[in-house]
Amino acid sequence: MHKHITHLTPEARIELIQGDITKAQVDAIVNAANRQLIGGGGVDGAIRRAGGDAIEQACARIRERQGGVETGNAVITTGGNLSAKYVIHTAGPVWEGGTAGEPELLASCYRESLRLAVENGVQTIAFPSISTGIYGYPTEKAAAVALHTVKEFVARGVPAPTCIQFILFDDVTYRCYTDALTQL
């Protein structure tokens, strides 16, 4: 497992970790969900398997109430069987070449997830690399958007989680995020 820590401000830090997000010891983990909030593969499937039925039932209630979550937005549910109290589900954009508003939508995923975290008293949060799996967002571009957005959110000087982790599944993704962090 690789780990790289950078302090953003005296009050908050970012951690890049190569590992399994379902094992994160944080208040909330973020799920790269689809707009329908129906279980899928990748990160979503892993989180749902580890978290159990409580997450699926909470997603079903959200689907009944509002039909899902729009791209760039986020909703929050219980963490079920996970050690995290909450799962924040966000629907990232599908990569269409970068000219269909993808960077803005991806940044919104991170901002909205952090907003929900603050509203729910979350002090520690773990993100995956949103939209870089089946949605095809180039990892190096996604990493730059993710890290810049988180840094900007924390720099506003308003409440924010004190520890923001990016838990990245493989070497390639971890390296892309490490490179992007050095560019901040």
Side-chain angles (χ1 to χ4, degrees):
M1 177 189 292
H2 302 288
K3 186 171 185 177
H4 179 84
I5 302 173
T6 299
H7 290 277
L8 291 174
T9 70
E11 296 80 30
R13 71 183 185 275
I14 188 169
E15 298 179 359
L16 302 183
I17 300 167
Q18 185 180 350
D20 179 350
I21 197 167
T22 67
K23 297 188 181 344
Q25 299 295 311
V26 293
D27 299 332
I29 62 174
V30 177
N31 180 19
N34 56 50
R35 291 182 23 233
Q36 298 78 24
L37 296 175
I38 295 172
V43 170
D44 185 40
I47 289 171
R48 288 170 185 266
R49 281 189 301 278
D53 288 338
I55 295 172
E56 181 51 45
Q57 291 167 3
C59 286
R61 287 191 295 279
I62 293 168
R63 282 193 304 274
E64 289 170 16
R65 188 173 65 244
Q66 67 188 50
V69 61
E70 291 301 315
T71 303
N73 287 330
V75 295
I76 191 166
T77 68
T78 179
N81 298 331
L82 298 167
S83 64
K85 182 176 182 180
Y86 301 109
V87 175
I88 298 172
H89 307 264
T90 189
V94 174
W95 181 255
E96 296 180 32
T99 58
E102 297 96 311
E104 296 81 8
L105 289 167
L106 185 59
S108 181
C109 289
Y110 289 97
R111 276 192 305 274
E112 289 300 306
S113 295
L114 288 167
R115 181 188 60 76
L116 276 177
V118 169
E119 285 178 7
N120 288 277
V122 168
Q123 290 298 307
T124 56
I125 188 170
F127 285 96
S129 183
I130 298 167
S131 285
T132 59
I134 196 167
Y135 283 10
Y137 207 114
T139 306
E140 23 334 294
K141 293 180 185 308
V145 170
L147 292 167
H148 176 78
T149 302
V150 166
K151 182 179 178 186
E152 190 176 75
F153 188 93
V154 171
R156 295 179 321 162
V158 297
T162 56
C163 177
I164 301 165
Q165 298 178 344
F166 286 87
I167 301 188
L168 310 159
F169 190 70
D170 58 39
D171 285 332
V172 172
T173 306
Y174 179 80
R175 277 196 304 277
C176 286
Y177 275 75
T178 301
D179 291 347
L181 188 62
T182 63
Q183 302 297 317
L184 283 182

